[in-house]
Amino acid sequence: MNNIVVLPMVIPLLVGIILIFLRSYVKVQRVLSLIAVIATGIVSIYILNVIQSEGILRLDFGGWLPPYGILFVADSFSVLLVLTTAIVSTIILLYAFSTIGAVRENMYFYSFVLFLIAGVNGSFLTGDLFNLFVCFEVMLLASYVLITLGGRKVQLVESIKYVVINILSSWFFLLGIAYLYGSVGTLNMAHLSERIAEVGQGPLLTTISLIFLVVFSLKSGLLLYFWLPGSYSVPPTAIAALFGALLTKVGIYAMFRTFTLIFYHEPSITHTLIGIMAAITMIGGSIGAIAYKDVRQIVTYNVVITIGFILVGLAVSTEVAIMGSIYYLVHDMIIKALLFLLAGTMIYLTGTSRIEDMSGLIRNYPVLGWLFFLTTLSLAGIPPLSGFIGKLYVGQGAVEAGSYTLLAIAFLSSMFVLYSLLQIFMNAFWGETIISEDEETPLKNRLLVPCIILGVATIALGIGAESIAGYVSDAAKTLMNPQIYIDAVMNGNR
Amino acid sequence: METLITILVGILVTVAVYLLLSRSLIRIIIGTAVLSHAVHLLLMVMGGLKKGSAPLLGENATSYTDPLPQALILTAIVISFAVTAFLLVLGYRTYQETGLDDSKELRGFTDE
């Protein structure tokens, strides 16, 4: 029992509620929301270190011991993601201060960002399947509001699609929960894992696991990503960056959790299917990324490719591959935020999102240009940067497991990532400048500084991979040995 | 009783799918509402419709009803209520802005 585990969800939630009453004080709202996300980050660093010394932490709400009550469980995997969420959202908030506009700031923008973060952190920390559903809904409702905030026509039209798709996937989630409760009689994840190991994962339970696969694929955009490009390209930059960095990752997290902790007995069916879906996702994403000439579309299709790549690690399911996926997940949250911010800044500077209409931006804005180049290299996985180590481990895991087709598709898709981003770089940054000195929109430092911080973060994560190596390998070990998690939840009645 | 409600769930899902596949926006919204009610009933049935007494500590009944499905449904109903309310407002605002209630015509809408 450790009450600190609940703080990453409670801090943003409480501050978000307080901010509702401070609607007209925009400056106060900014400061408070920034303090809230930074506090979440500090708390999660503390929790991460406590886990290393004391093992997995658990908080039983109301003192009801598992499996009777609902609970929060913090292991290295979830807290690493909570920490990354805090870092990324801090920087995106910095960017939002100067770009989001007074209209949105007055319409509870910061409250909803904090609710979104509360939902994301709750999903990472919960140890109960129904609680996961509730936290998903908290996050999704906040995201519905954020995507429609401002009420431009195109936003409204795209968000209807997004909302209906998510209602359907929530419906499937409840369906899966109902069937699972009917057949096993519990919803506590550790207890579920224990019981399924006892009765064996028969055809019925495998079918139920496939329902969960559909649900989390819809949330994370694995194969079922058709809703993603539209809805991620309509909201303003800061919100799109928040979505690109956080929302799909929650689905990926849930998929890792369920398929390593609960339904790991029939890998020949479930994990093979995940592998096939990951491969198709990467192929589809690659086609999308090179097909469009619109910066926003290219960037959102890059999100799709990455989802496929991370899930290769789960499909292969060796400890090394899982480690690679975790590294890549952390890297991707940072670099996708950076990519979305850069794309948004380019659109802000040129007033267009088509790459044919931009040229020679690097002459006007050299720092922006080199940052974009850095992002390209990092996403492609060039060694000193953060993408490399994840790709290396995923590749190594795939070789160990002998899945060479997946490996080939995964690395070919990296080529397409490189190609699609270099296409933006060559078209928009290289060549003759078409903006003359006096037409030049000044690039404010307030826009550039968050991007630079994220750029430094990707270099630091690449060079200083050692510093998080201990946490990552601990997370991978817990994921590959469900017994550790079960023991911590069911037996460690501290 | 369980069989009856299972059949009812099936009928509700059929109705909801029919509504969801129609072109009118308001029908789609009603479809999602019906769909979530169907799954709430399913949650209830999967927990088992038992005839025990209320699950209270300290009473001496021979059998107790499982309280968990009810707690789950209550939460799920609140959530679906909120989402339906949001979706209704969203549909109304979209109709106000675009003057369209047809999902086919709304497709690929890029006009600012």
Side-chain angles (χ1 to χ4, degrees):
Chain A
M1 286 279 274
N2 201 333
N3 287 330
I4 201 168
V5 174
V6 82
L7 284 183
M9 184 176 186
V10 162
I11 295 173
L13 202 60
L14 281 183
V15 176
I17 292 169
I18 292 168
L19 290 189
I20 291 179
F21 301 103
L22 299 172
R23 182 181 174 188
S24 46
Y25 307 102
V26 170
K27 287 236 165 68
V28 182
Q29 286 198 42
R30 288 180 180 177
V31 174
L32 275 182
S33 53
L34 201 59
I35 290 174
V37 281
I38 291 174
T40 318
I42 293 169
V43 167
S44 54
I45 291 174
Y46 174 74
I47 299 175
L48 202 54
N49 286 314
V50 172
I51 290 171
Q52 301 310 305
S53 54
E54 291 183 21
I56 297 172
L57 297 179
R58 185 183 97 219
L59 173 64
D60 310 322
F61 291 119
W64 289 88
L65 292 180
Y68 298 109
I70 51 174
L71 73 169
F72 267 17
V73 182
D75 70 343
S76 295
F77 182 41
S78 45
V79 182
L80 255 182
L81 294 180
V82 170
L83 176 61
T84 321
T85 304
I87 295 172
V88 168
S89 46
T90 307
I91 299 167
I92 291 176
L93 272 179
L94 280 180
Y95 188 88
F97 290 159
S98 51
T99 57
I100 206 72
V103 184
R104 288 193 176 83
E105 283 185 314
N106 279 326
M107 289 313 284
Y108 311 109
F109 169 75
Y110 296 113
S111 294
F112 282 109
V113 169
L114 289 174
F115 291 153
L116 182 86
I117 294 167
V120 169
N121 286 346
S123 315
F124 286 150
L125 288 172
T126 180
D128 181 283
L129 217 49
F130 193 76
N131 242 10
L132 183 66
F133 167 77
V134 174
C135 290
F136 261 37
E137 290 302 314
V138 170
M139 171 188 94
L140 286 174
L141 263 173
S143 76
Y144 299 159
V145 176
L146 284 177
I147 207 173
T148 46
L149 206 61
R152 282 154 58 230
K153 278 184 198 173
V154 62
Q155 274 183 314
L156 292 172
V157 172
E158 283 298 336
S159 57
I160 285 181
K161 195 166 71 180
Y162 176 74
V163 175
V164 172
I165 289 285
N166 275 307
I167 288 177
L168 265 181
S169 77
S170 300
W171 182 78
F172 273 107
F173 202 164
L174 274 178
L175 192 74
I177 286 175
Y179 283 149
L180 202 56
Y181 188 71
S183 51
V184 201
T186 181
L187 287 175
N188 181 307
M189 290 201 235
H191 199 209
L192 269 175
S193 172
E194 213 172 42
R195 286 215 171 155
I196 289 175
E198 276 168 18
V199 299
Q201 189 179 331
L204 182 65
L205 281 171
T206 309
T207 314
I208 295 172
S209 78
L210 293 183
I211 295 179
F212 283 105
L213 180 63
V214 170
V215 175
F216 297 139
S217 320
L218 266 170
K219 307 266 187 201
S220 66
L222 172 72
L223 186 61
L224 310 168
Y225 60 80
F226 43 84
W227 54 272
L228 196 146
S231 39
Y232 278 27
S233 53
V234 288
T237 310
I239 297 174
L242 207 58
F243 283 12
L246 301 182
L247 285 193
T248 53
K249 307 302 178 292
V250 180
I252 293 174
Y253 165 81
M255 194 129 39
F256 269 90
R257 196 46 98 200
T258 42
F259 285 96
T260 57
L261 180 65
I262 304 173
F263 301 112
Y264 58 92
H265 302 285
E266 284 281 359
S268 60
I269 300 172
T270 49
H271 289 62
T272 311
L273 201 59
I274 294 174
I276 295 169
M277 288 166 85
I280 300 175
T281 312
M282 284 185 288
I283 295 170
S286 304
I287 293 172
I290 56 170
Y292 286 94
K293 297 283 177 207
D294 185 307
V295 181
R296 287 203 203 105
Q297 295 280 3
I298 297 174
V299 168
T300 46
Y301 273 103
N302 271 301
V303 174
V304 175
I305 299 177
T306 319
I307 293 158
F309 189 86
I310 293 173
L311 284 158
V312 168
L314 180 60
V316 169
S317 216
T318 64
E319 195 163 328
V320 179
I322 297 266
M323 252 171 77
S325 287
I326 298 169
Y327 269 120
Y328 205 77
L329 206 53
V330 172
H331 146 81
D332 191 60
M333 284 165 91
I334 291 173
I335 205 74
K336 278 288 139 53
L338 176 57
L339 188 61
F340 271 93
L341 292 187
L342 287 175
T345 311
M346 282 164 67
I347 294 166
Y348 165 78
L349 291 173
T350 54
T352 171
S353 64
R354 302 193 61 78
I355 52 176
E356 300 104 322
D357 302 341
M358 306 177 189
S359 182
L361 281 177
I362 204 163
R363 280 167 221 280
N364 306 71
Y365 314 103
V367 182
L368 189 72
W370 290 116
L371 260 178
F372 192 88
F373 191 61
L374 182 81
T375 315
T376 309
L377 293 184
S378 185
L379 265 170
I382 306 294
L385 301 164
S386 59
F388 170 68
I389 189 141
K391 287 208 168 163
L392 180 74
Y393 279 133
V394 170
Q396 200 182 329
V399 171
E400 268 176 23
S403 30
Y404 296 108
T405 327
L406 265 184
L407 181 72
I409 296 175
F411 283 126
L412 265 178
S413 76
S414 303
M415 288 284 127
F416 280 99
V417 169
L418 189 62
Y419 175 77
S420 66
L421 291 177
L422 275 181
Q423 205 184 17
I424 299 182
F425 190 71
M426 296 303 282
N427 271 302
F429 285 104
W430 229 236
E432 280 303 306
T433 176
I434 46 174
I435 309 173
S436 65
E437 291 270 321
D438 33 296
E439 277 178 358
E440 191 179 313
T441 323
L443 177 57
K444 292 185 223 122
N445 275 337
R446 282 175 297 170
L447 297 185
L448 201 55
V449 168
C451 301
I452 293 175
I453 299 174
L454 282 170
V456 172
T458 177
I459 299 173
L461 189 61
I463 296 172
E466 282 283 300
S467 60
I468 65 161
Y471 306 123
V472 173
S473 58
D474 181 51
K477 204 177 95 208
T478 314
L479 284 179
M480 287 309 287
N481 306 299
Q483 200 56 43
I484 301 175
Y485 189 93
I486 297 171
D487 283 342
V489 175
M490 304 299 292
N491 307 328
N493 288 337
R494 275 176 282 162
Chain B
M1 195 63 184
E2 266 100 346
T3 325
L4 197 69
I5 292 195
T6 315
I7 293 170
L8 179 64
V9 170
I11 294 170
L12 280 178
V13 172
T14 320
V15 171
V17 170
Y18 174 74
L19 286 171
L20 274 175
L21 291 177
S22 59
R23 285 167 60 173
S24 163
L25 214 54
I26 194 77
R27 277 168 180 255
I28 294 175
I29 296 170
I30 294 170
T32 60
V34 174
L35 199 62
S36 42
H37 286 310
V39 83
H40 298 155
L41 278 177
L42 184 73
L43 262 172
M44 179 94 104
V45 178
M46 291 309 282
L49 298 169
K50 289 185 192 115
K51 287 177 186 150
S53 57
L56 297 170
L57 291 173
E59 283 197 15
N60 302 316
T62 44
S63 70
Y64 292 107
T65 314
D66 185 1
L68 196 67
Q70 294 167 30
L72 300 187
I73 294 167
L74 198 60
T75 318
I77 286 175
V78 173
I79 290 172
S80 89
F81 177 62
V83 173
T84 310
F86 181 83
L87 194 53
L88 275 170
V89 174
L90 182 63
Y92 178 62
R93 281 285 294 146
T94 313
Y95 176 69
Q96 261 189 338
E97 287 286 321
T98 60
L100 295 172
D101 181 39
D102 189 329
S103 53
K104 271 244 167 62
E105 285 173 45
L106 285 171
R107 203 166 154 192
F109 190 91
T110 48
D111 179 29
E112 294 274 317

